[in-house]
């Protein structure tokens, strides 16, 4: 058996099954990629909502979901420390920070870009900022539009993780744009008050 045949497939989880969690789940369903979803609730309580989106969405507990290789953080910014507590060490995991720190002051972030602040909570993990600039209603739609692919902005301090998530974004049908590190690119796609949304929630499409 070759090394690639021997490799176990990457596993995915979405933490949070609200507007954005469901839109992300839909993107996975569209491409037939299995994904676990978790909230603070008993998975049984959102089983029918998961089934309504499609096959391959597995409602589970937070403790089970964080066993995945790639974890999409689709909770309110304020909830990220609770999710981070689910594991003592996030080594080997890639966390995709989809949160927008609306209304969180720079002082509260210790002067850091919000993604760096989130990264600190996930000790040992590799964090990629992304998927956060599209409103849920847009993220929910098929990214193949008008003969092009909807653009996703990604940033990370880990080049390997950035490439990994760019690959996943491609597999989900998006056109990823790598913006560099969290302090540069991450800051570009960070929520900045009420006007930011109008500037960044654009219908950006890449034509190949
Ligand atoms: N909505 C948008 O258009 C949009 C666009 C871009 C980015 N975002 C960002 O995406 C994030 C999610 O937004 P949303 O609109 O999807 O919020 P939402 O509808 O309020 O959903 C939040 C989800 O997070 C879950 N959750 C909260 N604390 C949790 C915990 N400790 N462990 C596991 N799950 C937990 C909630 O589950 P329970 O039901 O159990 O509480 C709920 O399913 C936010 O950071 C937001 O800024 C949103």
């Amino acid at each position: 058996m070759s090394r690639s045949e021997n490799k176990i497939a990457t596993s995915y989880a979405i933490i949070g099954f609200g507007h954005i969690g469901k839109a992300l789940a839909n993107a996975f369903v569209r491409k037939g990629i299995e994904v676990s979803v978790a909230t603070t609730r008993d998975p049984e309580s959102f089983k029918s909502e998961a089934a309504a989106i499609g096959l391959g969405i597995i409602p589970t507990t937070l403790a089970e979901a964080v066993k995945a290789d790639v974890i999409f953080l689709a909770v309110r910014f304020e909830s990220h420390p609770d999710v981070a507590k689910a594991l003592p060490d996030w080594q080997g995991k890639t966390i995709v920070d989809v949160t927008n720190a609306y209304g969180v002051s720079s002082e509260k972030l210790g002067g850091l870009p919000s993604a760096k602040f989130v990264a600190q909570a996930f000790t040992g993990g590799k964090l990629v900022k992304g998927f956060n600039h599209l409103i849920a209603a847009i993220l929910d739609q098929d990214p193949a539009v008008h003969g092009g692919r909807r653009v996703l902005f990604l940033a990370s301090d880990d080049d390997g993780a950035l490439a990994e998530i760019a690959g996943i974004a491609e597999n989900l049908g998006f056109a990823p744009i790598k913006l560099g590190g969290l302090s540069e690119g991450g800051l570009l796609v960070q929520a900045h008050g009420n006007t930011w949304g109008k500037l960044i929630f654009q219908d950006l499409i890449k034509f190949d």
Side-chain angles (χ1 to χ4, degrees):
M1 189 182 280
S2 74
R3 186 179 265 211
S4 59
E5 281 169 326
N6 206 14
K7 188 185 178 304
I8 297 164
T10 304
S11 53
Y12 305 100
I14 302 166
I15 312 299
F17 198 47
H19 298 96
I20 279 290
K22 285 178 183 160
L24 283 168
N26 201 15
F28 277 82
V29 165
R30 215 180 280 119
K31 297 294 180 185
I33 306 170
E34 200 170 88
V35 65
S36 299
V37 291
T39 67
T40 60
R41 290 170 287 139
D42 179 342
E44 200 58 34
S45 70
F46 53 95
K47 202 171 142 188
S48 59
E49 285 176 84
I53 295 178
L55 285 177
I57 305 179
I58 303 157
T60 189
T61 59
L62 179 60
E64 275 301 312
V66 296
K67 290 180 182 168
D69 303 310
V70 175
I71 292 145
F72 288 78
L73 190 60
V75 300
R76 302 276 161 138
F77 174 81
E78 292 72 15
S79 303
H80 81 265
D82 293 332
V83 177
K85 280 183 210 146
L87 282 179
D89 188 338
W90 290 79
Q91 201 156 9
K93 310 273 179 199
T94 303
I95 299 110
V96 184
D97 175 18
V98 193
T99 69
N100 282 324
Y102 276 124
V104 182
S105 68
S106 175
E107 291 75 50
K108 276 205 174 140
L109 295 172
L112 293 171
S114 70
K116 275 219 178 242
F117 189 86
V118 172
Q120 280 186 345
F122 291 83
T123 316
K126 294 169 279 181
L127 187 131
V128 177
K129 179 85 194 166
F131 292 71
N132 64 304
H133 69 92
L134 296 172
I135 55 168
I138 296 286
L139 188 64
D140 197 46
Q141 295 169 12
D142 190 332
V145 277
H146 308 309
R149 289 178 295 147
R150 202 174 295 287
V151 166
L152 272 184
F153 296 119
L154 301 174
S156 180
D157 290 339
D158 187 298
D159 288 346
L162 190 56
E164 179 186 27
I165 302 306
I168 293 165
E170 293 254 6
N171 289 343
L172 294 177
F174 293 91
I177 308 279
K178 295 181 202 160
L179 295 176
L182 297 179
S183 296
E184 301 82 31
L187 208 51
L188 282 176
V189 286
Q190 174 170 327
H192 295 281
N194 294 334
T195 52
W196 171 83
K198 289 179 196 147
L199 291 173
I200 200 155
F201 284 158
Q202 300 289 326
D203 200 15
L204 291 167
I205 295 163
K206 181 170 181 277
F207 297 94
D208 295 311

